PDB file of all heavy atoms in Angstrom:
ATOM      1  N   TRP A  45      -9.189  -0.363  -9.240  1.00  0.00           N
ATOM      2  CA  TRP A  45      -9.565   0.171  -7.842  1.00  0.00           C
ATOM      3  C   TRP A  45     -10.877   0.849  -7.813  1.00  0.00           C
ATOM      4  O   TRP A  45     -11.334   1.127  -6.704  1.00  0.00           O
ATOM      5  CB  TRP A  45      -8.346   1.073  -7.380  1.00  0.00           C
ATOM      6  CG  TRP A  45      -8.279   2.328  -8.130  1.00  0.00           C
ATOM      7  CD1 TRP A  45      -7.771   2.554  -9.270  1.00  0.00           C
ATOM      8  CD2 TRP A  45      -8.696   3.673  -7.527  1.00  0.00           C
ATOM      9  NE1 TRP A  45      -7.875   3.984  -9.638  1.00  0.00           N
ATOM     10  CE2 TRP A  45      -8.449   4.599  -8.558  1.00  0.00           C
ATOM     11  CE3 TRP A  45      -9.216   4.135  -6.343  1.00  0.00           C
ATOM     12  CZ2 TRP A  45      -8.754   5.914  -8.400  1.00  0.00           C
ATOM     13  CZ3 TRP A  45      -9.533   5.396  -6.182  1.00  0.00           C
ATOM     14  CH2 TRP A  45      -9.240   6.318  -7.229  1.00  0.00           C
ATOM     15  N   ASP A  90      -6.034  -2.372  -2.653  1.00  0.00           N
ATOM     16  CA  ASP A  90      -7.182  -1.410  -2.653  1.00  0.00           C
ATOM     17  C   ASP A  90      -8.470  -2.186  -2.270  1.00  0.00           C
ATOM     18  O   ASP A  90      -9.755  -1.905  -2.728  1.00  0.00           O
ATOM     19  CB  ASP A  90      -7.388  -0.682  -4.143  1.00  0.00           C
ATOM     20  CG  ASP A  90      -6.442   0.396  -4.335  1.00  0.00           C
ATOM     21  OD1 ASP A  90      -6.292   1.210  -3.406  1.00  0.00           O
ATOM     22  OD2 ASP A  90      -6.054   0.577  -5.455  1.00  0.00           O
ATOM     23  N   PHE A  93     -11.199   0.330  -0.650  1.00  0.00           N
ATOM     24  CA  PHE A  93     -12.009   1.039  -1.729  1.00  0.00           C
ATOM     25  C   PHE A  93     -13.095   0.218  -2.314  1.00  0.00           C
ATOM     26  O   PHE A  93     -14.209   0.666  -2.551  1.00  0.00           O
ATOM     27  CB  PHE A  93     -11.201   1.467  -2.862  1.00  0.00           C
ATOM     28  CG  PHE A  93     -10.340   2.810  -2.575  1.00  0.00           C
ATOM     29  CD1 PHE A  93      -8.880   2.795  -2.731  1.00  0.00           C
ATOM     30  CD2 PHE A  93     -10.816   3.980  -2.139  1.00  0.00           C
ATOM     31  CE1 PHE A  93      -8.074   3.832  -2.523  1.00  0.00           C
ATOM     32  CE2 PHE A  93     -10.062   5.127  -1.926  1.00  0.00           C
ATOM     33  CZ  PHE A  93      -8.718   5.005  -2.121  1.00  0.00           C
ATOM     34  N   ASP A 157      -2.481   6.478  -1.115  1.00  0.00           N
ATOM     35  CA  ASP A 157      -3.851   6.151  -1.273  1.00  0.00           C
ATOM     36  C   ASP A 157      -4.264   5.053  -0.297  1.00  0.00           C
ATOM     37  O   ASP A 157      -5.472   4.977   0.045  1.00  0.00           O
ATOM     38  CB  ASP A 157      -4.124   5.572  -2.751  1.00  0.00           C
ATOM     39  CG  ASP A 157      -3.332   6.442  -3.730  1.00  0.00           C
ATOM     40  OD1 ASP A 157      -2.255   7.060  -3.512  1.00  0.00           O
ATOM     41  OD2 ASP A 157      -3.764   6.493  -4.898  1.00  0.00           O
ATOM     42  N   GLN A 219       1.586   9.535  -9.958  1.00  0.00           N
ATOM     43  CA  GLN A 219       0.572  10.267 -10.706  1.00  0.00           C
ATOM     44  C   GLN A 219       0.877  11.842 -10.630  1.00  0.00           C
ATOM     45  O   GLN A 219       0.029  12.713 -11.094  1.00  0.00           O
ATOM     46  CB  GLN A 219      -0.905   9.959 -10.267  1.00  0.00           C
ATOM     47  CG  GLN A 219      -1.289   8.771 -10.955  1.00  0.00           C
ATOM     48  CD  GLN A 219      -2.472   8.083 -10.093  1.00  0.00           C
ATOM     49  OE1 GLN A 219      -2.156   7.245  -9.182  1.00  0.00           O
ATOM     50  NE2 GLN A 219      -3.675   8.263 -10.529  1.00  0.00           N
ATOM     51  N   TRP A 227       1.327  15.811  -5.108  1.00  0.00           N
ATOM     52  CA  TRP A 227       0.085  15.331  -5.798  1.00  0.00           C
ATOM     53  C   TRP A 227      -1.162  15.700  -5.057  1.00  0.00           C
ATOM     54  O   TRP A 227      -1.314  15.193  -3.856  1.00  0.00           O
ATOM     55  CB  TRP A 227       0.257  13.883  -6.255  1.00  0.00           C
ATOM     56  CG  TRP A 227      -0.932  13.438  -7.021  1.00  0.00           C
ATOM     57  CD1 TRP A 227      -1.520  13.794  -8.185  1.00  0.00           C
ATOM     58  CD2 TRP A 227      -1.613  12.132  -6.705  1.00  0.00           C
ATOM     59  NE1 TRP A 227      -2.537  13.005  -8.624  1.00  0.00           N
ATOM     60  CE2 TRP A 227      -2.594  11.983  -7.647  1.00  0.00           C
ATOM     61  CE3 TRP A 227      -1.477  11.141  -5.645  1.00  0.00           C
ATOM     62  CZ2 TRP A 227      -3.409  10.888  -7.769  1.00  0.00           C
ATOM     63  CZ3 TRP A 227      -2.242  10.142  -5.700  1.00  0.00           C
ATOM     64  CH2 TRP A 227      -3.266   9.914  -6.701  1.00  0.00           C
ATOM     65  N   ARG A 229      -4.355  14.981  -5.148  1.00  0.00           N
ATOM     66  CA  ARG A 229      -5.320  13.855  -4.714  1.00  0.00           C
ATOM     67  C   ARG A 229      -4.575  13.049  -3.649  1.00  0.00           C
ATOM     68  O   ARG A 229      -5.288  12.708  -2.686  1.00  0.00           O
ATOM     69  CB  ARG A 229      -5.791  13.015  -5.890  1.00  0.00           C
ATOM     70  CG  ARG A 229      -6.864  12.176  -5.397  1.00  0.00           C
ATOM     71  CD  ARG A 229      -7.760  11.604  -6.453  1.00  0.00           C
ATOM     72  NE  ARG A 229      -7.098  10.731  -7.399  1.00  0.00           N
ATOM     73  CZ  ARG A 229      -6.832  11.049  -8.721  1.00  0.00           C
ATOM     74  NH1 ARG A 229      -7.093  12.244  -9.147  1.00  0.00           N
ATOM     75  NH2 ARG A 229      -6.387  10.192  -9.465  1.00  0.00           N
ATOM     76  N   TRP A 233      -6.078  12.200  -0.025  1.00  0.00           N
ATOM     77  CA  TRP A 233      -6.092  10.834   0.609  1.00  0.00           C
ATOM     78  C   TRP A 233      -5.506  10.798   2.101  1.00  0.00           C
ATOM     79  O   TRP A 233      -5.890  10.165   2.987  1.00  0.00           O
ATOM     80  CB  TRP A 233      -5.267   9.795  -0.206  1.00  0.00           C
ATOM     81  CG  TRP A 233      -5.830   9.496  -1.548  1.00  0.00           C
ATOM     82  CD1 TRP A 233      -5.166   9.292  -2.692  1.00  0.00           C
ATOM     83  CD2 TRP A 233      -7.260   9.048  -1.917  1.00  0.00           C
ATOM     84  NE1 TRP A 233      -5.952   8.929  -3.678  1.00  0.00           N
ATOM     85  CE2 TRP A 233      -7.188   8.855  -3.318  1.00  0.00           C
ATOM     86  CE3 TRP A 233      -8.437   9.143  -1.269  1.00  0.00           C
ATOM     87  CZ2 TRP A 233      -8.345   8.510  -4.031  1.00  0.00           C
ATOM     88  CZ3 TRP A 233      -9.644   8.726  -2.006  1.00  0.00           C
ATOM     89  CH2 TRP A 233      -9.564   8.552  -3.345  1.00  0.00           C
ATOM     90  N   ALA A 345      -7.822  12.454 -13.609  1.00  0.00           N
ATOM     91  CA  ALA A 345      -7.571  10.984 -13.154  1.00  0.00           C
ATOM     92  C   ALA A 345      -6.035  10.805 -13.180  1.00  0.00           C
ATOM     93  O   ALA A 345      -5.528  10.364 -12.314  1.00  0.00           O
ATOM     94  CB  ALA A 345      -8.268  10.119 -14.095  1.00  0.00           C
ATOM     95  N   TRP A 358     -14.942   8.335  -8.395  1.00  0.00           N
ATOM     96  CA  TRP A 358     -14.525   8.502  -6.976  1.00  0.00           C
ATOM     97  C   TRP A 358     -14.825  10.003  -6.525  1.00  0.00           C
ATOM     98  O   TRP A 358     -15.184  10.169  -5.434  1.00  0.00           O
ATOM     99  CB  TRP A 358     -13.166   8.046  -6.737  1.00  0.00           C
ATOM    100  CG  TRP A 358     -12.051   8.780  -7.475  1.00  0.00           C
ATOM    101  CD1 TRP A 358     -11.365   9.908  -7.114  1.00  0.00           C
ATOM    102  CD2 TRP A 358     -11.485   8.298  -8.836  1.00  0.00           C
ATOM    103  NE1 TRP A 358     -10.504  10.197  -8.234  1.00  0.00           N
ATOM    104  CE2 TRP A 358     -10.556   9.317  -9.104  1.00  0.00           C
ATOM    105  CE3 TRP A 358     -11.894   7.423  -9.702  1.00  0.00           C
ATOM    106  CZ2 TRP A 358      -9.958   9.441 -10.376  1.00  0.00           C
ATOM    107  CZ3 TRP A 358     -11.137   7.211 -10.833  1.00  0.00           C
ATOM    108  CH2 TRP A 358     -10.187   8.154 -11.234  1.00  0.00           C
TER     109      TRP A 358
HETATM  110  N1  LIG B 634      -5.932   5.599  -6.027  1.00  0.00           N
HETATM  111  C1  LIG B 634      -5.709   5.990  -7.343  1.00  0.00           C
HETATM  112  C2  LIG B 634      -5.943   7.336  -7.603  1.00  0.00           C
HETATM  113  O1  LIG B 634      -6.274   8.234  -6.750  1.00  0.00           O
HETATM  114  O2  LIG B 634      -5.785   7.740  -8.731  1.00  0.00           O
END
Side-chain angles (χ1 to χ4, degrees):
W45 72 284
D90 283 327
F93 282 126
D157 322 28
Q219 280 156 277
W227 177 49
R229 189 156 69 251
W233 293 138
W358 61 92

